[in-house]
Amino acid sequence: GAVVSQHPSWVICKSGTSVKIECRSLDFQATTMFWYRQFPKQSLMLMATSNEGSKATYEQGVEKDKFLINHASLTLSTLTVTSAHPEDSSFYICSAKQGPTLEAFFGQGTRLTVV
Amino acid sequence: EDKVVQSPLSLVVHEGDTVTLNCSYEVTNFRSLLWYKQEKKAPTFLFMLTSSGIEKKSGRLSSILDKKELFSILNITATQTGDSAVYLCAVVPIDSNYQLIWGAGTKLIIKP
């Protein structure tokens, strides 16, 4: 299957700082990328959908100014958590798909801890 | 409101047992159903089911979809400790741009 690389795997940052998470499709062109958040023992919560070259579409309740998503190329999308707070600590996962195919591939996820 | 319900929420069995995980859904304009396995990190894709009655198989894992009764099952035979994971089911509606509707998952623990 196709490979999606997410970086970093884990990050610890101080309150008030910003953190950038990268999601790269290594062997295919990701026309659409999805960013999820997962709390312990809970299912994946879709945060936003981004199509290459367009502004991301955010789900209800997700602050677009806090979670900045950029999908400037067909192989890279970034999620920046701005002015992070401890309640932003979570597991963030990206997935990517190419064109109209149904199958999406997941990155390894990023464990964010804000102290 | 569209929803996906998985059962049981958790399951503990012994190595060698066979398990059946359930996923039922109420989704407008169903397109396909996907099964994922999640261990410590991101989910790993297992199966995509679009048509009713056609079993998908991969080693000891198999899955089938019933579009009339709106459910899918994931079977694991001769379970091994490495099968311990959370198994997630998700449904893709038509025209959703692949925004999945996720079940809460079934936590499977295989005891040696």
Side-chain angles (χ1 to χ4, degrees):
Chain A
V3 178
V4 174
S5 176
Q6 191 172 334
H7 176 82
S9 298
W10 58 271
V11 58
I12 301 173
C13 70
K14 288 187 176 180
S15 249
T17 60
S18 294
V19 174
K20 182 185 281 189
I21 302 170
E22 291 188 350
C23 181
R24 292 181 185 273
S25 57
L26 298 186
D27 50 3
F28 67 102
Q29 293 184 326
T31 49
T32 306
M33 285 196 175
F34 303 88
W35 286 95
Y36 294 89
R37 184 172 177 176
Q38 187 175 34
F39 293 99
K41 299 182 181 179
Q42 293 190 31
S43 189
L44 299 174
M45 182 195 82
L46 179 65
M47 298 174 67
T49 303
S50 73
N51 293 299
E52 185 265 336
S54 305
K55 285 186 179 180
T57 302
Y58 289 80
E59 295 300 299
Q60 197 171 13
V62 178
E63 298 175 60
K64 60 178 71 174
D65 294 330
K66 181 168 185 60
F67 299 99
L68 300 178
I69 292 171
N70 183 287
H71 189 173
S73 81
L74 284 170
T75 58
L76 174 65
S77 176
T78 60
L79 166 68
T80 302
V81 183
T82 62
S83 187
H85 290 283
E87 56 264 32
D88 299 325
S89 299
S90 192
F91 191 56
Y92 293 87
I93 307 173
C94 72
S95 73
K97 77 178 194 84
Q98 180 177 25
T101 60
L102 296 182
E103 190 173 344
F105 300 93
F106 283 85
Q108 305 95 316
T110 298
R111 172 75 60 195
L112 170 64
T113 302
V114 184
V115 298
Chain B
E1 184 186 340
D2 293 340
K3 63 179 179 181
V4 175
V5 178
Q6 289 186 248
S7 63
L9 289 181
S10 66
L11 185 58
V12 181
V13 300
H14 286 286
E15 218 171 7
D17 289 349
T18 293
V19 297
T20 299
L21 310 183
N22 301 288
C23 174
S24 64
Y25 61 91
E26 292 176 23
V27 174
T28 307
N29 298 323
F30 171 92
R31 185 171 195 171
S32 62
L33 183 146
L34 301 100
W35 283 97
Y36 289 88
K37 176 183 181 182
Q38 185 175 25
E39 295 169 270
K40 289 186 178 176
K41 293 196 172 180
T44 305
F45 173 80
L46 294 176
F47 298 111
M48 181 172 72
L49 303 157
T50 306
S51 302
S52 243
I54 299 174
E55 185 183 52
K56 293 260 180 123
K57 215 169 159 55
S58 176
R60 296 176 293 103
L61 276 67
S62 64
S63 184
I64 198 161
L65 173 68
D66 185 329
K67 289 168 77 173
K68 184 180 175 187
E69 300 298 328
L70 308 182
F71 76 93
S72 173
I73 59 171
L74 175 69
N75 268 326
I76 308 175
T77 59
T79 52
Q80 302 171 358
T81 54
D83 295 327
S84 296
V86 174
Y87 289 84
L88 294 164
C89 166
V91 170
V92 187
I94 292 172
D95 296 329
S96 68
N97 196 26
Y98 208 77
Q99 290 183 358
L100 307 183
I101 302 169
W102 291 90
T106 293
K107 183 173 182 178
L108 177 63
I109 297 173
I110 310 295
K111 287 190 169 181

